Amino acid sequence: MRPSQFLMASASLVVGAFLALFAAILSVNAIESFSEDAVQDALTLRGHEWAQVQSDGLQVVLSGNAPSEAMRFRALSIAGGEVDATRVIDNMTIPEAEIVAPPRFSIEVLRNNSGISMIGLIPTKSDRKGLVKEVGRIADKAEVTDLLEVADYPIPANWDTTLDFALYALKQLPRSKISMDADKVSITAVADSAEEQQEWARLLKRKAPRSILLSIDISAPRPVITPFTLRFLIDDEGARFDACSAHNAIGRAKIISAATEAGLEGVANCIIGLGVPSPDWADAAEMGINAVAALGGGSVTFSDADVTLVALDTTPQATFDRVVGELESNLPDLYSLHSVLPEPVKIDGTGEGEATPEFVATLSPEGQVQLRGRLSDEALRSAAESFARAKFGSNAVYPATRLDPDLPSNWPTRVLAGLEALSLVHSGVIVVQPDIVDIRGRTGDPEVAAEISRLLGEKLGASENFQVNVAYEESLNPTLLLPSPEECAADINAVLAEKKITFAPSSANIEASAAETVDKIAEIMRDCSDVRMEIAGYTDSQGREEMNLALSQNRAQAVLSALLSRRILTSNLSAVGYGEENPIADNGTEEGREANRRIEFRLLEGVSDDDAKTADDAEALETEAAPETTDAPAADAPVEGGEAPDTEAADGDVSDATTTDSPEDTAAPSYSGPEVFAPDADDPRPAPRPER
């Protein structure tokens, strides 16, 4: 072959190789671009914009952060549907799973007369069995419904402390809803009275741990006010209420706002109650108060729908007529207005004046009453003296009245109403004149002025004028002088420590020698009738356990009956027999058995943390120092001091036990602390207390 031909063939071969390589490159680029675009479009259309597609020859590489494993798998499936699945390379990543937060542990408890129900979520490691057991003790014989669920997460901080407080609140409140979590307790309850409402709120606030947020909503029934009374006046001492009643909070705010604009200073006590004569009460009261302000002084008295407007005796007639006309026109239809522009009144207060007849009754701080002035006839004199002796005591009344037949016909009503009003104050004087009844005095009850206004408004009639100037003095408030619940229990147990209440052998009959002790306890209880206490009866360990339990219950009930026979209010007392439980001495000796046969008084109120700790420590010490159990005597062994032997009959009929007035010969342990609340305790009865 010639060289030229060889060169041409070689050149053609090289050119063809280059052309083939170029065509291959173009084909690969076309396939990569087509595959990448096809897969990217498919992923985008299916909502996987997060996926990134890159081609590497025939391979299609998927990258990006997949929201989940399922989304990653779907992206692979979509890509495999567009190109051969073997060509798809998975470089996608999945973010690390977030740590699941523990759930909110919480409990909601409802308690009423039917029982207790619990619903909520608690930690698995919490003592659910102990919780249900404690709630069962609180429910007593009522049904307990357990709807709690559990979750296996750590117990939150403060959970046990908060739960203890929630159970304490549940124990105190018989009709309540308590919601709690580790940091908060919300309490909604219904009390039987305003006093009980305040006492519960005080106990709960004192007992609440500082680490929790406490919300308390305790409602009490509104008092029935009859007649529904409001009395507002402006005189030389300024603007004030003698009585103020409202039917709701909005009405009270409207009444107090009107009084403030009329010159009232300080805080006004306006009671929200039942018995309002009409829904327009607040509007009518506001108009009456504005009328007194427009007159420049005087008083307005609402007694149900009867309204009495009394102007000052210095009020110009034209001003009086204008204000009365406006008020009469604006008052709601139900209300009836009586207006009085009095003649100048001079209150002599001696009962001896000749110009204006008077009847005067004076009550001294020592309780002595003098009756002076005029009465219409002998029948009224006898009625007034009898009424005064009934109110103040037969030996506390000194009559010095004279007869005047020319007195007004309503004089007996005014005199007797005045004496009844005087009986409500600690000391003071009532002056009755034909045109006015004036009472002045001192009291330890902040509600007395309102009560007197209601009384005089009802007894005298709507159109009569009266003045009430009764000052409240805190030092006269009897409730401030009453002992605290702790002092009540301490005083009673001090009496029992001095001399026990003893019983006839194997009987619940109180021995006559214990009369003095029962009398002393009754005297203490007269000032402690509002304190909730438990009379706990105990026996020694001789005899059958069930017999001792019944005997101790009957003895505790006998003490309760003995107090009732002495006219002591026992509604806040309960009698519970504990049998041979909680011994305070060794039952193996006669002295120990005598000490264990005892009556104790225990508070059923709240307990402070320090008191609870002290009682718990004492219980632990007694447990460590408890003597070894001694063998019980034989069933037929004689029993001294009153414990039932192990026989079917005992000395004396327990069921017909009478309460002879008496206490026991040896000292009982004194105890003044309330029952310790321990949610995880196995024994539902109070632990033994140390002697004070």
mmCIF file of all heavy atoms in Angstrom, residues 40-76:
data_model
loop_
_atom_site.group_PDB
_atom_site.id
_atom_site.type_symbol
_atom_site.label_atom_id
_atom_site.label_comp_id
_atom_site.label_asym_id
_atom_site.label_seq_id
_atom_site.Cartn_x
_atom_site.Cartn_y
_atom_site.Cartn_z
ATOM 1 N N GLN A 40 -36.425 14.654 39.337
ATOM 2 C CA GLN A 40 -36.678 15.885 40.096
ATOM 3 C C GLN A 40 -38.113 16.344 39.922
ATOM 4 O O GLN A 40 -38.787 16.733 40.885
ATOM 5 C CB GLN A 40 -35.711 16.973 39.650
ATOM 6 C CG GLN A 40 -35.778 18.245 40.495
ATOM 7 C CD GLN A 40 -35.239 18.035 41.897
ATOM 8 O OE1 GLN A 40 -34.059 17.806 42.079
ATOM 9 N NE2 GLN A 40 -36.124 18.077 42.889
ATOM 10 N N ASP A 41 -38.611 16.287 38.669
ATOM 11 C CA ASP A 41 -39.994 16.697 38.421
ATOM 12 C C ASP A 41 -40.969 15.783 39.154
ATOM 13 O O ASP A 41 -41.974 16.254 39.733
ATOM 14 C CB ASP A 41 -40.283 16.675 36.919
ATOM 15 C CG ASP A 41 -39.528 17.769 36.167
ATOM 16 O OD1 ASP A 41 -39.048 18.718 36.846
ATOM 17 O OD2 ASP A 41 -39.405 17.670 34.935
ATOM 18 N N ALA A 42 -40.696 14.486 39.123
ATOM 19 C CA ALA A 42 -41.603 13.543 39.795
ATOM 20 C C ALA A 42 -41.633 13.786 41.307
ATOM 21 O O ALA A 42 -42.693 13.762 41.940
ATOM 22 C CB ALA A 42 -41.170 12.110 39.492
ATOM 23 N N LEU A 43 -40.475 14.030 41.875
ATOM 24 C CA LEU A 43 -40.429 14.295 43.319
ATOM 25 C C LEU A 43 -41.137 15.598 43.670
ATOM 26 O O LEU A 43 -41.852 15.686 44.677
ATOM 27 C CB LEU A 43 -38.978 14.343 43.790
ATOM 28 C CG LEU A 43 -38.217 13.009 43.772
ATOM 29 C CD1 LEU A 43 -36.741 13.247 44.098
ATOM 30 C CD2 LEU A 43 -38.825 12.014 44.771
ATOM 31 N N THR A 44 -40.936 16.611 42.846
ATOM 32 C CA THR A 44 -41.571 17.913 43.115
ATOM 33 C C THR A 44 -43.083 17.796 43.035
ATOM 34 O O THR A 44 -43.815 18.351 43.868
ATOM 35 C CB THR A 44 -41.054 18.964 42.128
ATOM 36 O OG1 THR A 44 -39.629 19.064 42.252
ATOM 37 C CG2 THR A 44 -41.677 20.317 42.414
ATOM 38 N N LEU A 45 -43.575 17.087 42.002
ATOM 39 C CA LEU A 45 -45.022 16.922 41.842
ATOM 40 C C LEU A 45 -45.635 16.150 43.003
ATOM 41 O O LEU A 45 -46.801 16.358 43.342
ATOM 42 C CB LEU A 45 -45.323 16.214 40.526
ATOM 43 C CG LEU A 45 -45.053 17.029 39.248
ATOM 44 C CD1 LEU A 45 -45.263 16.159 38.015
ATOM 45 C CD2 LEU A 45 -45.960 18.259 39.190
ATOM 46 N N ARG A 46 -44.860 15.269 43.620
ATOM 47 C CA ARG A 46 -45.384 14.476 44.742
ATOM 48 C C ARG A 46 -45.144 15.158 46.104
ATOM 49 O O ARG A 46 -45.385 14.559 47.145
ATOM 50 C CB ARG A 46 -44.706 13.111 44.755
ATOM 51 C CG ARG A 46 -44.870 12.315 43.472
ATOM 52 C CD ARG A 46 -46.288 11.761 43.309
ATOM 53 N NE ARG A 46 -46.372 10.937 42.127
ATOM 54 C CZ ARG A 46 -46.099 9.636 42.071
ATOM 55 N NH1 ARG A 46 -45.653 9.024 43.141
ATOM 56 N NH2 ARG A 46 -46.226 8.956 40.948
ATOM 57 N N GLY A 47 -44.674 16.391 46.094
ATOM 58 C CA GLY A 47 -44.504 17.113 47.353
ATOM 59 C C GLY A 47 -43.219 16.852 48.076
ATOM 60 O O GLY A 47 -43.121 17.088 49.300
ATOM 61 N N HIS A 48 -42.178 16.409 47.359
ATOM 62 C CA HIS A 48 -40.899 16.142 48.002
ATOM 63 C C HIS A 48 -39.851 17.156 47.543
ATOM 64 O O HIS A 48 -38.777 16.795 47.075
ATOM 65 C CB HIS A 48 -40.430 14.720 47.667
ATOM 66 C CG HIS A 48 -41.359 13.651 48.182
ATOM 67 N ND1 HIS A 48 -41.324 13.215 49.477
ATOM 68 C CD2 HIS A 48 -42.352 12.945 47.571
ATOM 69 C CE1 HIS A 48 -42.240 12.269 49.659
ATOM 70 N NE2 HIS A 48 -42.883 12.099 48.492
ATOM 71 N N GLU A 49 -40.152 18.426 47.702
ATOM 72 C CA GLU A 49 -39.222 19.459 47.277
ATOM 73 C C GLU A 49 -37.922 19.417 48.061
ATOM 74 O O GLU A 49 -36.896 19.952 47.619
ATOM 75 C CB GLU A 49 -39.866 20.851 47.424
ATOM 76 C CG GLU A 49 -41.063 21.082 46.532
ATOM 77 C CD GLU A 49 -42.358 20.627 47.180
ATOM 78 O OE1 GLU A 49 -42.280 19.948 48.232
ATOM 79 O OE2 GLU A 49 -43.440 20.930 46.651
ATOM 80 N N TRP A 50 -37.963 18.813 49.220
ATOM 81 C CA TRP A 50 -36.771 18.751 50.050
ATOM 82 C C TRP A 50 -35.675 17.865 49.444
ATOM 83 O O TRP A 50 -34.512 17.994 49.794
ATOM 84 C CB TRP A 50 -37.125 18.193 51.434
ATOM 85 C CG TRP A 50 -37.860 16.872 51.374
ATOM 86 C CD1 TRP A 50 -39.198 16.699 51.355
ATOM 87 C CD2 TRP A 50 -37.278 15.576 51.277
ATOM 88 N NE1 TRP A 50 -39.522 15.380 51.270
ATOM 89 C CE2 TRP A 50 -38.344 14.657 51.228
ATOM 90 C CE3 TRP A 50 -35.974 15.089 51.223
ATOM 91 C CZ2 TRP A 50 -38.159 13.280 51.127
ATOM 92 C CZ3 TRP A 50 -35.777 13.726 51.135
ATOM 93 C CH2 TRP A 50 -36.857 12.815 51.083
ATOM 94 N N ALA A 51 -36.059 16.954 48.526
ATOM 95 C CA ALA A 51 -35.101 16.015 47.945
ATOM 96 C C ALA A 51 -34.309 16.678 46.819
ATOM 97 O O ALA A 51 -34.874 17.376 45.968
ATOM 98 C CB ALA A 51 -35.818 14.772 47.430
ATOM 99 N N GLN A 52 -33.027 16.462 46.818
ATOM 100 C CA GLN A 52 -32.144 16.993 45.775
ATOM 101 C C GLN A 52 -31.650 15.829 44.888
ATOM 102 O O GLN A 52 -31.286 14.764 45.397
ATOM 103 C CB GLN A 52 -30.950 17.708 46.403
ATOM 104 C CG GLN A 52 -31.352 18.878 47.307
ATOM 105 C CD GLN A 52 -30.181 19.440 48.071
ATOM 106 O OE1 GLN A 52 -29.039 19.001 47.853
ATOM 107 N NE2 GLN A 52 -30.454 20.406 48.939
ATOM 108 N N VAL A 53 -31.643 16.082 43.567
ATOM 109 C CA VAL A 53 -31.305 15.029 42.593
ATOM 110 C C VAL A 53 -30.054 15.444 41.818
ATOM 111 O O VAL A 53 -29.972 16.567 41.301
ATOM 112 C CB VAL A 53 -32.472 14.768 41.624
ATOM 113 C CG1 VAL A 53 -32.119 13.637 40.661
ATOM 114 C CG2 VAL A 53 -33.737 14.446 42.410
ATOM 115 N N GLN A 54 -29.111 14.540 41.737
ATOM 116 C CA GLN A 54 -27.912 14.736 40.915
ATOM 117 C C GLN A 54 -27.646 13.439 40.138
ATOM 118 O O GLN A 54 -27.853 12.332 40.663
ATOM 119 C CB GLN A 54 -26.688 15.066 41.784
ATOM 120 C CG GLN A 54 -26.744 16.439 42.433
ATOM 121 C CD GLN A 54 -25.507 16.719 43.271
ATOM 122 O OE1 GLN A 54 -24.822 15.787 43.691
ATOM 123 N NE2 GLN A 54 -25.214 17.994 43.470
ATOM 124 N N SER A 55 -27.213 13.620 38.870
ATOM 125 C CA SER A 55 -26.912 12.440 38.039
ATOM 126 C C SER A 55 -25.401 12.262 37.936
ATOM 127 O O SER A 55 -24.652 13.232 37.866
ATOM 128 C CB SER A 55 -27.522 12.591 36.648
ATOM 129 O OG SER A 55 -27.039 13.767 36.024
ATOM 130 N N ASP A 56 -24.995 11.027 37.930
ATOM 131 C CA ASP A 56 -23.574 10.678 37.782
ATOM 132 C C ASP A 56 -23.508 9.509 36.811
ATOM 133 O O ASP A 56 -23.573 8.342 37.209
ATOM 134 C CB ASP A 56 -22.977 10.301 39.132
ATOM 135 C CG ASP A 56 -21.472 10.031 39.031
ATOM 136 O OD1 ASP A 56 -20.897 10.268 37.949
ATOM 137 O OD2 ASP A 56 -20.907 9.571 40.042
ATOM 138 N N GLY A 57 -23.424 9.864 35.534
ATOM 139 C CA GLY A 57 -23.523 8.843 34.503
ATOM 140 C C GLY A 57 -24.919 8.288 34.508
ATOM 141 O O GLY A 57 -25.915 9.012 34.461
ATOM 142 N N LEU A 58 -25.029 7.002 34.582
ATOM 143 C CA LEU A 58 -26.355 6.390 34.623
ATOM 144 C C LEU A 58 -26.938 6.388 36.041
ATOM 145 O O LEU A 58 -28.115 6.056 36.218
ATOM 146 C CB LEU A 58 -26.261 4.947 34.104
ATOM 147 C CG LEU A 58 -25.864 4.794 32.624
ATOM 148 C CD1 LEU A 58 -25.791 3.332 32.247
ATOM 149 C CD2 LEU A 58 -26.838 5.522 31.714
ATOM 150 N N GLN A 59 -26.136 6.735 37.024
ATOM 151 C CA GLN A 59 -26.628 6.726 38.400
ATOM 152 C C GLN A 59 -27.348 8.042 38.735
ATOM 153 O O GLN A 59 -26.946 9.106 38.281
ATOM 154 C CB GLN A 59 -25.460 6.529 39.369
ATOM 155 C CG GLN A 59 -24.810 5.153 39.274
ATOM 156 C CD GLN A 59 -23.671 5.004 40.263
ATOM 157 O OE1 GLN A 59 -23.080 6.005 40.668
ATOM 158 N NE2 GLN A 59 -23.373 3.768 40.631
ATOM 159 N N VAL A 60 -28.427 7.917 39.536
ATOM 160 C CA VAL A 60 -29.189 9.075 40.023
ATOM 161 C C VAL A 60 -29.033 9.106 41.543
ATOM 162 O O VAL A 60 -29.430 8.158 42.238
ATOM 163 C CB VAL A 60 -30.673 8.984 39.635
ATOM 164 C CG1 VAL A 60 -31.440 10.164 40.224
ATOM 165 C CG2 VAL A 60 -30.824 8.927 38.135
ATOM 166 N N VAL A 61 -28.428 10.178 42.041
ATOM 167 C CA VAL A 61 -28.125 10.291 43.469
ATOM 168 C C VAL A 61 -29.164 11.199 44.131
ATOM 169 O O VAL A 61 -29.345 12.359 43.709
ATOM 170 C CB VAL A 61 -26.709 10.847 43.685
ATOM 171 C CG1 VAL A 61 -26.409 10.949 45.185
ATOM 172 C CG2 VAL A 61 -25.694 9.971 42.975
ATOM 173 N N LEU A 62 -29.835 10.662 45.149
ATOM 174 C CA LEU A 62 -30.810 11.444 45.929
ATOM 175 C C LEU A 62 -30.153 11.870 47.236
ATOM 176 O O LEU A 62 -29.562 11.047 47.952
ATOM 177 C CB LEU A 62 -32.057 10.608 46.231
ATOM 178 C CG LEU A 62 -32.851 10.095 45.023
ATOM 179 C CD1 LEU A 62 -34.110 9.367 45.504
ATOM 180 C CD2 LEU A 62 -33.232 11.227 44.086
ATOM 181 N N SER A 63 -30.279 13.152 47.565
ATOM 182 C CA SER A 63 -29.737 13.687 48.816
ATOM 183 C C SER A 63 -30.763 14.635 49.428
ATOM 184 O O SER A 63 -31.792 14.936 48.825
ATOM 185 C CB SER A 63 -28.404 14.401 48.566
ATOM 186 O OG SER A 63 -28.584 15.489 47.671
ATOM 187 N N GLY A 64 -30.428 15.129 50.597
ATOM 188 C CA GLY A 64 -31.351 16.021 51.315
ATOM 189 C C GLY A 64 -31.776 15.410 52.646
ATOM 190 O O GLY A 64 -31.518 14.235 52.938
ATOM 191 N N ASN A 65 -32.438 16.225 53.488
ATOM 192 C CA ASN A 65 -32.900 15.789 54.813
ATOM 193 C C ASN A 65 -34.366 15.364 54.729
ATOM 194 O O ASN A 65 -35.263 16.204 54.569
ATOM 195 C CB ASN A 65 -32.748 16.909 55.845
ATOM 196 C CG ASN A 65 -31.299 17.224 56.127
ATOM 197 O OD1 ASN A 65 -30.454 16.328 56.162
ATOM 198 N ND2 ASN A 65 -30.999 18.507 56.331
ATOM 199 N N ALA A 66 -34.607 14.076 54.792
ATOM 200 C CA ALA A 66 -35.977 13.563 54.743
ATOM 201 C C ALA A 66 -36.668 13.845 56.070
ATOM 202 O O ALA A 66 -36.079 13.640 57.140
ATOM 203 C CB ALA A 66 -35.964 12.068 54.464
ATOM 204 N N PRO A 67 -37.915 14.319 56.037
ATOM 205 C CA PRO A 67 -38.630 14.583 57.295
ATOM 206 C C PRO A 67 -38.786 13.341 58.154
ATOM 207 O O PRO A 67 -38.836 13.433 59.376
ATOM 208 C CB PRO A 67 -39.980 15.127 56.832
ATOM 209 C CG PRO A 67 -39.735 15.646 55.443
ATOM 210 C CD PRO A 67 -38.696 14.749 54.863
ATOM 211 N N SER A 68 -38.902 12.165 57.502
ATOM 212 C CA SER A 68 -39.091 10.938 58.250
ATOM 213 C C SER A 68 -38.625 9.762 57.406
ATOM 214 O O SER A 68 -38.357 9.896 56.203
ATOM 215 C CB SER A 68 -40.553 10.756 58.650
ATOM 216 O OG SER A 68 -41.355 10.608 57.491
ATOM 217 N N GLU A 69 -38.552 8.625 58.029
ATOM 218 C CA GLU A 69 -38.174 7.412 57.312
ATOM 219 C C GLU A 69 -39.182 7.080 56.226
ATOM 220 O O GLU A 69 -38.830 6.626 55.129
ATOM 221 C CB GLU A 69 -38.047 6.249 58.302
ATOM 222 C CG GLU A 69 -37.648 4.927 57.677
ATOM 223 C CD GLU A 69 -36.259 4.965 57.070
ATOM 224 O OE1 GLU A 69 -35.426 5.761 57.550
ATOM 225 O OE2 GLU A 69 -35.992 4.216 56.119
ATOM 226 N N ALA A 70 -40.445 7.312 56.504
ATOM 227 C CA ALA A 70 -41.477 7.034 55.502
ATOM 228 C C ALA A 70 -41.314 7.938 54.289
ATOM 229 O O ALA A 70 -41.461 7.494 53.129
ATOM 230 C CB ALA A 70 -42.853 7.210 56.127
ATOM 231 N N MET A 71 -40.982 9.207 54.510
ATOM 232 C CA MET A 71 -40.799 10.133 53.389
ATOM 233 C C MET A 71 -39.559 9.735 52.580
ATOM 234 O O MET A 71 -39.552 9.851 51.343
ATOM 235 C CB MET A 71 -40.650 11.555 53.922
ATOM 236 C CG MET A 71 -41.884 12.045 54.669
ATOM 237 S SD MET A 71 -43.310 12.289 53.582
ATOM 238 C CE MET A 71 -42.881 13.861 52.877
ATOM 239 N N ARG A 72 -38.527 9.287 53.247
ATOM 240 C CA ARG A 72 -37.343 8.825 52.516
ATOM 241 C C ARG A 72 -37.682 7.641 51.618
ATOM 242 O O ARG A 72 -37.279 7.568 50.451
ATOM 243 C CB ARG A 72 -36.249 8.434 53.509
ATOM 244 C CG ARG A 72 -34.923 8.022 52.852
ATOM 245 C CD ARG A 72 -33.974 7.449 53.877
ATOM 246 N NE ARG A 72 -34.437 6.151 54.351
ATOM 247 C CZ ARG A 72 -34.207 4.996 53.709
ATOM 248 N NH1 ARG A 72 -33.516 4.979 52.579
ATOM 249 N NH2 ARG A 72 -34.657 3.860 54.186
ATOM 250 N N PHE A 73 -38.446 6.701 52.136
ATOM 251 C CA PHE A 73 -38.807 5.525 51.345
ATOM 252 C C PHE A 73 -39.683 5.914 50.156
ATOM 253 O O PHE A 73 -39.539 5.371 49.054
ATOM 254 C CB PHE A 73 -39.527 4.525 52.246
ATOM 255 C CG PHE A 73 -39.917 3.263 51.554
ATOM 256 C CD1 PHE A 73 -38.976 2.274 51.272
ATOM 257 C CD2 PHE A 73 -41.234 3.053 51.152
ATOM 258 C CE1 PHE A 73 -39.350 1.110 50.623
ATOM 259 C CE2 PHE A 73 -41.595 1.899 50.502
ATOM 260 C CZ PHE A 73 -40.660 0.912 50.230
ATOM 261 N N ARG A 74 -40.559 6.850 50.355
ATOM 262 C CA ARG A 74 -41.419 7.289 49.249
ATOM 263 C C ARG A 74 -40.595 7.951 48.148
ATOM 264 O O ARG A 74 -40.851 7.768 46.953
ATOM 265 C CB ARG A 74 -42.483 8.259 49.776
ATOM 266 C CG ARG A 74 -43.543 7.599 50.630
ATOM 267 C CD ARG A 74 -44.497 8.624 51.200
ATOM 268 N NE ARG A 74 -45.402 8.024 52.179
ATOM 269 C CZ ARG A 74 -46.218 8.723 52.953
ATOM 270 N NH1 ARG A 74 -46.205 10.052 52.871
ATOM 271 N NH2 ARG A 74 -47.009 8.103 53.796
ATOM 272 N N ALA A 75 -39.613 8.752 48.542
ATOM 273 C CA ALA A 75 -38.759 9.402 47.545
ATOM 274 C C ALA A 75 -37.998 8.362 46.720
ATOM 275 O O ALA A 75 -37.871 8.486 45.484
ATOM 276 C CB ALA A 75 -37.801 10.362 48.233
ATOM 277 N N LEU A 76 -37.502 7.315 47.383
ATOM 278 C CA LEU A 76 -36.820 6.246 46.657
ATOM 279 C C LEU A 76 -37.765 5.531 45.694
ATOM 280 O O LEU A 76 -37.397 5.189 44.561
ATOM 281 C CB LEU A 76 -36.225 5.240 47.644
ATOM 282 C CG LEU A 76 -35.000 5.712 48.442
ATOM 283 C CD1 LEU A 76 -34.623 4.665 49.491
ATOM 284 C CD2 LEU A 76 -33.821 5.994 47.518
#
